[in-house]
Structures are given as structure tokens and as C-alpha cells.
């Protein structure tokens, strides 16, 4: 476990585990947060201020610490990371289009990448990154992209982040994740040196969720994290503010495990 160089929290968060029966193997142990760290405090503080729901997960590559909301839900534009890697593997000439999809979250650029890569290539990237999901195959909501409706849990997304540095062809995408447009640099984007991607969108009732995942600098490498927030107000503006508040709440609360892959 390592302390974040920017003072961002960690030891992050209480996670439940299933009690094994006599017929089932015991689950992989979760990372133990230091007993003197209030592991659920970040999520609790943010949800108390904004109401709604929030979730936070950190993964060292295999083991998970998580608190709050961890259900598989629409990935929104965070899916553009494995999509860009898949497309660039097939055609490195799409680098500028991939950069637009990551840095400014350009949806038209993402559609070009999707047409070039296809579902199987994206699934291959997700599988190699231990992402725990597959890309959506059909447009569940006609006004939004197919890929953005991919169901992805924060804990699985954090695991994928931990494996990103080891994925073939991920280097240019990771570089783009360090150059996110300032207008989208809320939440994890307020942490110097973070490499991240955000996504956001409303549910059918118009309530916005914002989510992010990526790699945050630590003393000895990087921490793989993912967060999701849904403010009670349902506005995108409050979702951005809530994500930023969650990042701030992490400061000085403890240590994060260094992400590893392989």
C-alpha cells in the first residue's frame, strides 16, 4: 500500500464479500485497508452533501477495495478507452481520430473507431484487461451510441485500469488520457498527473450519472481507481461537482495499493 504523492485518499473502501459454503471455494481476499483509515468516509461525505449515490473502487490488479455503488451500469464515454486501443491495433493511422475520442470525448470520432474495430476486437481488449464485461452489440437507447451502453461496474473498470499499461497498443491511448481537455478535467482530472477518461449521461428519467476511471500517481507507480456519482438533483453540473468533491474527500485519508498488471 502506498501513499498518493498528491495526498489523495485511499485505503479505499469497505467492500463486502460472500460467505463461502462447504461446496464453494473461498473468494479471493479483498485488500485490507488500515484499521485507522475511515474507508467509507469519502463516499459517505459526498453522498451526504449531494444526496444521490456514489461509488469508488481501487484495484491492485486482482484484489479490490470498493465502497458505495458498484453495479454494472452504462459505461458512457469511458468505453472509448478499449475502443481506441482496439481500433489502433487494426489501423495505427487512426491515431488522430483516437486522440479526439479520448481527449475531447468526440462521439463522431468514436463512431469511426467502432466501425473500424468491431465488437470482437473491442472484446479482445476488454478480456486482456480483465474488464469483466463485453461491449454492447445493440443500440439499447436510440439516441445514444451502442458502445456507450456497455454495462461496466466500477470495480471491474478499476481492474481494467490496472492492466492498461500491459496491454499491447495502449501506449498512445494512455498518453491521450494524460491530455484530457480542461473542460472535462473534473473529478480525477483535478489530480496532477492523473491519466483518466470520463463518461456521463442521463437515465431515461433524465437523471445524470458521471463516471471516471484511470491511473493516479503514487510514490511507487500508480493507483488504479474508478468512481461513479449520481447526484439527487440529476444535473450534469452537480454530477461534475460531486465527482470533484469525491476526489477531494480522498485527500489524506490513507494509502492506495500500487497497480500491477501482467
Amino acid at each position: 500500500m502506498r501513499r498518493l504523492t498528491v495526498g489523495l485518499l485511499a485505503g479505499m473502501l469497505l467492500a463486502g464479500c460472500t460467505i463461502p459454503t462447504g461446496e464453494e471455494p473461498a473468494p479471493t481476499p479483498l485488500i485490507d485497508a488500515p484499521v485507522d483509515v475511515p474507508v467509507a468516509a469519502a463516499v459517505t461525505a459526498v453522498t451526504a452533501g449531494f444526496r444521490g449515490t456514489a461509488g469508488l473502487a481501487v484495484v491492485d490488479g486482482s484484489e479490490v477495495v470498493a465502497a458505495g455503488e458498484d453495479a454494472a451500469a452504462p459505461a458512457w464515454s469511458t468505453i472509448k478507452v478499449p475502443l481506441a486501443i482496439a481500433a489502433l491495433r487494426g489501423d495505427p493511422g487512426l491515431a488522430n481520430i483516437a486522440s479526439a475520442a479520448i481527449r475531447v470525448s468526440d462521439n463522431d470520432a468514436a463512431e469511426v473507431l467502432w466501425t473500424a474495430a468491431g465488437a470482437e476486437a473491442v472484446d479482445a481488449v476488454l478480456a486482456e484487461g480483465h474488464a469483466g464485461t463485453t461491449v454492447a452489440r445493440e443500440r439499447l437507447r436510440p439516441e445514444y451510441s451502442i458502445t456507450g451502453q456497455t454495462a461496466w461496474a466500477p470495480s471491474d473498470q478499476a481492474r481494467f485500469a490496472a492492466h492498461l499499461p500491459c496491454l499491447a497498443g495502449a501506449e498512445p491511448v494512455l498518453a491521450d488520457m494524460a491530455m484530457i481537455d480542461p473542460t472535462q478535467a473534473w473529478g480525477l482530472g483535478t489530480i496532477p498527473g492523473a491519466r483518466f477518461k470520463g463518461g456521463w449521461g442521463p437515465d431515461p428519467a433524465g437523471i445524470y450519472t458521471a463516471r471516471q476511471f484511470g491511473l493516479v500517481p503514487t510514490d511507487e507507480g500508480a493507483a488504479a481507481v474508478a468512481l461513479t456519482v449520481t447526484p439527487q438533483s440529476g444535473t450534469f453540473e452537480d454530477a461534475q461537482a460531486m465527482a470533484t468533491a469525491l476526489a477531494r474527500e480522498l485527500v489524506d485519508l490513507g494509502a492506495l495499493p500500487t497497480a500491477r498488471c501482467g
Side-chain angles (χ1 to χ4, degrees):
M1 303 283 280
R2 307 294 181 189
R3 184 169 303 279
L4 287 177
T5 57
V6 295
L8 181 72
L9 157 241
M12 241 141 318
L13 305 125
L14 202 49
C17 59
T18 302
I19 299 174
T21 68
E23 295 77 35
E24 300 172 338
T28 301
L30 299 178
I31 300 167
D32 292 323
V35 295
D36 60 342
V37 175
V39 292
V43 168
T44 299
V46 169
T47 53
F50 287 84
R51 307 302 175 185
T53 61
L56 186 61
V58 59
V59 177
D60 67 358
S62 59
E63 298 175 311
V64 180
V65 177
E69 184 62 49
D70 195 35
W76 298 112
S77 287
T78 61
I79 196 65
K80 290 171 182 172
V81 172
L83 175 58
I85 294 170
L88 290 175
R89 285 179 176 182
D91 184 0
L94 293 170
N96 289 339
I97 294 173
S99 291
I102 301 298
R103 298 186 191 187
V104 299
S105 210
D106 186 288
N107 290 329
D108 290 337
E111 286 297 322
V112 173
L113 299 178
W114 175 237
T115 299
E120 290 186 4
V122 179
D123 279 350
V125 173
L126 290 167
E128 290 170 30
H130 303 263
T133 193
T134 55
V135 71
R137 257 68 171 180
E138 58 183 286
R139 196 178 300 274
L140 301 178
R141 295 173 64 186
E143 67 271 40
Y144 298 109
S145 70
I146 294 172
T147 56
Q149 298 304 297
T150 299
W152 208 351
S155 57
D156 287 333
Q157 196 163 59
R159 184 178 292 105
F160 179 77
H163 287 84
L164 261 177
C166 288
L167 295 183
E171 294 87 352
V173 178
L174 280 165
D176 286 328
M177 291 169 68
M179 303 178 72
I180 299 298
D181 188 85
T183 62
Q184 298 176 20
W186 34 267
L188 298 181
T190 63
I191 303 168
R195 291 173 289 172
F196 72 99
K197 181 71 186 82
W200 56 90
D203 67 11
I207 303 297
Y208 267 83
T209 291
R211 58 187 304 168
Q212 296 175 319
F213 81 104
L215 296 164
V216 175
T218 69
D219 287 342
E220 297 186 11
V225 299
L227 64 83
T228 181
V229 294
T230 306
Q232 186 179 58
S233 70
T235 69
F236 179 42
E237 292 75 16
D238 279 353
Q240 293 176 80
M242 192 175 183
T244 296
L246 184 52
R248 290 174 180 167
E249 285 293 333
L250 300 181
V251 175
D252 294 332
L253 286 184
L256 282 171
T258 301
R260 63 177 182 267
C261 57

